[in-house]
Each structure stands twice: as structure tokens, then as C-alpha cells.
Amino acid sequence: MSSFLLEIVTPERKVYAEDVNMVIVKGSEGEMGIMPNHIPMVTPLKIAPITIKKKNAEEKIAVGGGFLEIRKDKVVILAESAELPGDIDLARAEAAKQRAEQRLSGKKDNHDQLRAELALQRAMNRIAVKQG
Ligand code: ATP
């Protein structure tokens, strides 16, 4: 099966660099599966798990938004944050989820609401990836 290099980079570190067969991401226009030899393009990514297919294995990574860049030689995900299941602290994500839910239930201005909604999405994304 043909493959391509997938790199996932955050402002802090390179999280992933491996040959993969396919990656499924949630772009601004919905789910998108990227196979080898895709035409070059850039698209924004939502806060959502990505699925990586490699031989017979499948991996999930919690990506906290960013951009997907398809180059001729590789695919790069420039992520705001990215964690493999083993890197995710479940208790921390659950605490972040609770804080966000509390903020959303209180009366706040729109800016705070949006921030709390994004924090909730990040926490739920991490919980989903950690729990497989
Ligand atoms: P928190 O409120 O718990 O800090 P957050 O969603 O605000 O969560 P981010 O700003 O998205 O956190 O990420 C900051 C850094 O902390 C990133 O390096 C991210 O990978 C890491 N991080 C955040 N939450 C977790 C978690 N539950 N487990 C492991 N790493 C995490």
C-alpha cells in the first residue's frame, strides 16, 4: 500500500512524523480523507480528533485546531495543540470540561461564552481520544 509522510507540529514541538497510508481530518467543510498524491492545498482544521491509518493499525490524535497543509512531498498539520492518547491527562481534561460548563451556565458576555465553548470543545476532544 502506498504511503506518505505525515508531520504534526505544534508551537511547542514536533508531535508526529511517520509514514502513513491515510489521514482523516475535520476541515472547515467537514470530514476529509487524505490519501497519497493528493493535490497541494491548505485548509483550516476544527478542534477534533484526527484518524491515522497505517498498515493494519489506526491511531487517533486530539488536534486543537490549526491548519492542514498538503505539500508535494508530505502532509503537515500545524496544530494549536496535539496530543496522542498516551500524552492526555484525563483528569485535567475532565476538570477543564467542568470549568467550561460552569462558565457556560453563568451569565457572561459573548466573548467569554465563545472562549468557554472552545475550551469545552478542546476538553471533549481530549476525553474522546483518551477513551478511544
Ligand atoms: P487546560 O485548561 O487544562 O490548560 P486548555 O484546553 O486550555 O486546557 P491548551 O491551551 O489547548 O489547554 O493547551 C496548552 C498545553 O497543554 C498544550 O501543550 C496541550 O498539549 C497541553 N494540554 C492541555 N490539556 C491537556 C491534557 N488534558 N492532557 C495533556 N496535555 C494537555
Side-chain angles (χ1 to χ4, degrees), residues 12 81 83 87-89 92-93 96 99 122 126:
E12 285 156 16
S81 65
E83 301 99 29
D87 296 333
I88 295 170
D89 178 340
R92 176 175 167 182
R99 277 199 309 278
R122 291 194 300 274
R126 289 178 176 124

Side-chain angles (χ1 to χ4, degrees), residues 118-132:
L118 293 173
L120 182 60
Q121 283 178 25
R122 291 194 300 274
M124 288 175 60
N125 181 31
R126 289 178 176 124
I127 292 166
V129 166
K130 185 70 179 181
Q131 293 180 337

Side-chain angles (χ1 to χ4, degrees), residues 13-96:
R13 65 194 180 99
K14 187 175 274 188
V15 175
Y16 193 92
E18 288 188 37
D19 272 316
V20 308
N21 300 121
M22 186 177 181
V23 60
I24 301 162
V25 301
K26 201 166 167 196
S28 48
E29 277 153 39
E31 278 216 334
M32 187 182 162
I34 294 115
M35 315 261 277
N37 305 314
H38 196 289
I39 51 161
M41 60 169 277
V42 176
T43 189
L45 293 181
K46 302 241 179 194
I47 298 169
I50 64 158
T51 304
I52 297 167
K53 300 202 183 208
K54 259 190 342 192
K55 294 194 183 123
N56 298 323
E58 198 177 284
E59 289 181 293
K60 298 258 186 202
I61 296 188
V63 167
F67 290 91
L68 170 83
E69 186 182 357
I70 304 176
R71 301 187 193 169
K72 277 198 192 125
D73 57 333
K74 61 184 174 183
V75 172
V76 181
I77 292 176
L78 293 165
E80 301 277 352
S81 65
E83 301 99 29
L84 291 148
D87 296 333
I88 295 170
D89 178 340
L90 187 59
R92 176 175 167 182
E94 277 168 350

